[in-house]
Every structure is written in structure tokens, then in C-alpha cells.
């Protein structure tokens, strides 16, 4: 018997233990959920948004269901894939987690690979465009780079009638993922891709990337990145007198980026989850009462992801199937963040395109 078969049998045994014990006695069945998040250092703000969403969901679920009690097992990966992998193995062996939640890109890639080996579902809630197709036990609820690019590309072709575009991307891991997505997705959306150029924070790099793109006379320029480098690209496009559509990612919605970009951000288009524009008053009130803070989109997504897991646990216990197959049976989902469309182990949130106008973001699509 091969080791993969042994692992599959071991994970099946764990699921069976949950199923068989759920109806025994009056005590609730304890189901442990792993979370591996950047809770300190770079990315800690995002990590804590995800953590709070999970915490609120679990508290509410435990208060409403006497049969099952969820326990959250949390580890900080400090944006290090080695630390994330060690934490996942520890949670799997010592805590017997049923599902894992991971956020940082490198951590998602490392844990998703190991989760597939161990036959454990993982919510790899990063923007990597292909993580759910690369790993068979990876699920996702946050918008991917692909979803953002396709949303803005449809807006350009349908609303602005643009048919030629160039793409500029910051030269890091996320940017290189985006470059591949631009090459794959823009032609599928009806846009002729004229140039795909990297940039760094160096002034010469920004000047070269902008010049190469504009030499092709594009009807739109995509700018993927954040911070000073992306702000510098916007300034370079404005200084060159470019009058076509400038399209960014949801990073453009960050107030810190708006402060860096200043007037160069005016008129730029970018996609955001639709919940960024609605406010979600009922959820926001509960979240604010619990954490004394306003919820961000990441917290809403993780809250809804945990409710998806809870629904899958009900299916697992009722139909006596493993948790991964139970997750796949859920399909479209209605949660605090609205309606999600299910497609190949992803719950796709509704997206909007906005235009930067003064201090506001005005919905245009």
C-alpha cells in the first residue's frame, strides 16, 4: 500500500470519527479549524482582518448550534512559507484540524501543496490567479488577480469600447503572477495586448516601462502594483500626457496609496468587491460591537468562508462523506457579503469597477 493511500485512509478515518461521534451523548462534537496568518510584521493588518472574521463567525456558530462546537487553532506565519508549513503540520498532527485557512501568498502555495498530499481542504485566500487549479484540495473566497483583471477588462470592452491595451506590473511575485494573467486573460476578454512591461521603484525603470507602453498607442494601460512604484507609474503616465483609460487593481482603493498617488489617481479605474460600496450595516454593527473597529472586506470574506465550512460540516455529518466533497456540494452561497458564485472550488464575490474622483470612488460598472 503506497503512502498516499495510507494518508487518504488516515484522513478518511478522521472524518469518520467526526461523523460517528457527532450523535453520541449530549456533548457537542469538537471540530478544530486551523488558521495560519501573518499576525505580526508585514501583512499583519490583513492577517488580523481575516482572524477577526473567523473569530466572529465561530462565536456566532457555536452560539447557534448545540451539536457542533468549533475551535480555532491559530498560528502566525510572519509571511514565511517555512513557518507556515511547520504550523500546518503541527496543527494537523497535534490538533487534528479538519480545515485550514491561510492568507499570505507564499504560505498558501506551501500549505496548499502539503494539504493536497495530506487530503485536507485549505482555504488559500490569497490573490494568486491559479492556486485552486494547481492544487486539488485548495478552495478560495477572496477575489483573485484573474477575477480583478477580467472584471476591469469586461468594463473596458463593454462600456468604454476599448480594444487595445498595455499592461505594466511591479516586478515581484504577485506582479509576475499578474503578468501571466494579463497574457492569458486579456485576449480572452477581447483586448489586444500590445505590451507587458515590468517596473521597479527606480525612476529609470518606471520611465522605460511607461515609454514602452505608450509607444504602442494603447486605448488603456493596466497598472498592477501598489506603493511608491505604482504611484510613480501613474505620475509618469500623466506627465507623458496620456489620455486613455488607466486601470489599476483593488490596491488603488487603499487610502495610503491614494495619499501617495495624489492627483495622478484622479480618473483611474479599478475593481473592488461590491461590498466595499455597500457598507453591510447589520454585519458591521455586530463586528464593531465585538472588535470596536469597522470591518474590512477580508474580514467579511473569512466570516462567510467559515459559514461555508459549517454548512459543509452539516453535509459531512448528514451524508457521511469527507469534508472536501462536502465543500464541493455547496455550490452558490449567500452570506454576509452577498451572493457568491461557485466555480471550480472558488466562491466568487460580486465585483464592481469604480472611478477615482476627488476623495471618492464612484461606481461605473
Amino acid at each position: 500500500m503506497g503512502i498516499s493511500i495510507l494518508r487518504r485512509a488516515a484522513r478518511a478515518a478522521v472524518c469518520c470519527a467526526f461523523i460517528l461521534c457527532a450523535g453520541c451523548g449530549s456533548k457537542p462534537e469538537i471540530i478544530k479549524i486551523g488558521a495560519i496568518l501573518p499576525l505580526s510584521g508585514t501583512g499583519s493588518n490583513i492577517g488580523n482582518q481575516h482572524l477577526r472574521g473567523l473569530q466572529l463567525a465561530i462565536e456566532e456558530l457555536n452560539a447557534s448550534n448545540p451539536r457542533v462546537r468549533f475551535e480555532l487553532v491559530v498560528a502566525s506565519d510572519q509571511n514565511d512559507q517555512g513557518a507556515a508549513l511547520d504550523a500546518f503540520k503541527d496543527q494537523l498532527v497535534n490538533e487534528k484540524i479538519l480545515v485550514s485557512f491561510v492568507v499570505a501568498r507564499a504560505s498558501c502555495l506551501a500549505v496548499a501543496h502539503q494539504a493536497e498530499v495530506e487530503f485536507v481542504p485549505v482555504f488559500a485566500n490569497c490573490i494568486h490567479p491559479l492556486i485552486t487549479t494547481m492544487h486539488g484540495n485548495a478552495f478560495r473566497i477572496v477575489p483573485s488577480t484573474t477575477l480583478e483583471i477580467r472584471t476591469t477588462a469586461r468594463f473596458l470592452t463593454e462600456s468604454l469600447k476599448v480594444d487595445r491595451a498595455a499592461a505594466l506590473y511591479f516586478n515581484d511575485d504577485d506582479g509576475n503572477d499578474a503578468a501571466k494573467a494579463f497574457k492569458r486573460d486579456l485576449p480572452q476578454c477581447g483586448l489586444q495586448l500590445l505590451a507587458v512591461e515590468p517596473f521597479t521603484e527606480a525612476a529609470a525603470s518606471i520611465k522605460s516601462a511607461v515609454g514602452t507602453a505608450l509607444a504602442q498607442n494603447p486605448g488603456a494601460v493596466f497598472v498592477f502594483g501598489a506603493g511608491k512604484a505604482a504611484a510613480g507609474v501613474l505620475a509618469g503616465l500623466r506627465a507623458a500626457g496620456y489620455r486613455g483609460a488607466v486601470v489599476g487593481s483593488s490596491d488603488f482603493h487603499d487610502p495610503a496609496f491614494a495619499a501617495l498617488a495624489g492627483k495622478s489617481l484622479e480618473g483611474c479605474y479599478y475593481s473592488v468587491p461590491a461590498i466595499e460600496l455597500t457598507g453591510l450595516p447589520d454585519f458591521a454593527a455586530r463586528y464593531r460591537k465585538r472588535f470596536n473597529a469597522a470591518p474590512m472586506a477580508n474580514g467579511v470574506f473569512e466570516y462567510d468562508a467559515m459559514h461555508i465550512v459549517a454548512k459543509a460540516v452539516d453535509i459531512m455529518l448528514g451524508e457521511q462523506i469527507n469534508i472536501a466533497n462536502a465543500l464541493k456540494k455547496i455550490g452558490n452561497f449567500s452570506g454576509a457579503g452577498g451572493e457568491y458564485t461557485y466555480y471550480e472550488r472558488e466562491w466568487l464575490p460580486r465585483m464592481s469597477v469604480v472611478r477615482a474622483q476627488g476623495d471618492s470612488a464612484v461606481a461605473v460598472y
Side-chain angles (χ1 to χ4, degrees), residues 254-275:
D254 184 347
F257 179 76
L260 284 172
K263 293 182 179 180
S264 297
L265 184 62
E266 183 74 17
C268 289
Y269 300 99
Y270 54 91
S271 64
V272 294
I275 58 174

Side-chain angles (χ1 to χ4, degrees), residues 101-178:
F101 287 84
V102 191
V103 171
R105 177 191 183 277
S107 298
C108 283
L109 289 169
V111 172
H113 172 74
Q114 191 65 28
E116 188 169 10
V117 173
E118 303 289 353
F119 303 101
V120 178
V122 55
F123 271 80
N125 284 330
C126 65
I127 64 172
H128 191 290
L130 297 176
I131 197 162
T132 56
T133 57
M134 292 166 57
H135 301 289
N137 265 19
F139 295 79
R140 172 164 50 196
I141 197 170
V142 301
S144 67
T145 300
T146 291
L147 183 59
E148 289 197 10
I149 289 174
R150 288 181 175 176
T151 299
T152 48
R154 287 195 299 268
F155 162 71
L156 289 174
T157 57
E158 294 173 9
S159 298
L160 300 187
K161 308 305 179 184
V162 171
D163 59 6
R164 292 158 50 88
L168 308 179
Y169 64 95
F170 186 68
N171 194 9
D172 64 0
D173 288 337
D174 284 334
N176 283 289
D177 289 341

